[in-house]
Amino acid sequence: MAVVTVTKANFEEVVLKSQKPVLVDFWAVWCGPCMAQGPVVDALSEETDAVVFAKVNVDEEMELAQQFRVMNIPTLLLFEGGKVAKTQIGFADQGHLKAFLGI
């Protein structure tokens, strides 16, 4: 399943109303660890359809980053039932991310 780009306009539909858990990767182009995290998220999105994978560019969607108090990036938020269930701050390798997601 492809990773979905999330904006303020589609956040409610993609994340809050999802029937599946949603992993949201808050990132920026200038962030080295974010550039390493992206391929890990992309690879996992191809492995499982049990989770929706989404990305928020904090430079383009500052309001979403502020709403969820994202102070450091990469920040990964796992939403379940429209609420934040877990938070991972900083780079997470594939093994750690699978454990974080329970897959």
Side-chain angles (χ1 to χ4, degrees):
M1 178 186 260
V3 177
V4 180
T5 298
V6 175
T7 65
K8 184 180 172 190
N10 69 355
F11 187 84
E12 182 176 352
E13 191 63 36
V14 172
V15 179
L16 301 181
K17 292 184 176 180
S18 177
Q19 298 300 311
K20 296 179 183 179
V22 182
L23 180 74
V24 181
D25 176 10
F26 287 83
W27 69 285
V29 173
W30 49 264
C31 167
C34 298
M35 295 294 97
Q37 188 68 70
V40 175
V41 171
D42 293 345
L44 280 180
S45 75
E46 297 299 322
E47 283 187 27
T48 183
D49 61 358
V51 177
V52 174
F53 293 86
K55 294 185 180 184
V56 173
N57 183 324
V58 297
D59 288 334
E60 296 173 359
E61 299 295 332
M62 287 182 197
E63 194 172 323
L64 283 176
Q66 290 173 345
Q67 179 180 348
F68 293 100
R69 295 185 173 101
V70 173
M71 304 298 283
N72 299 296
I73 53 175
T75 290
L76 304 171
L77 300 180
L78 180 64
F79 286 80
E80 293 178 348
K83 297 184 192 248
V84 177
K86 292 183 180 179
T87 302
Q88 164 66 42
I89 298 172
F91 175 80
D93 64 25
Q94 194 165 11
H96 183 85
L97 200 50
K98 281 183 175 182
F100 178 77
L101 296 172
I103 59 172

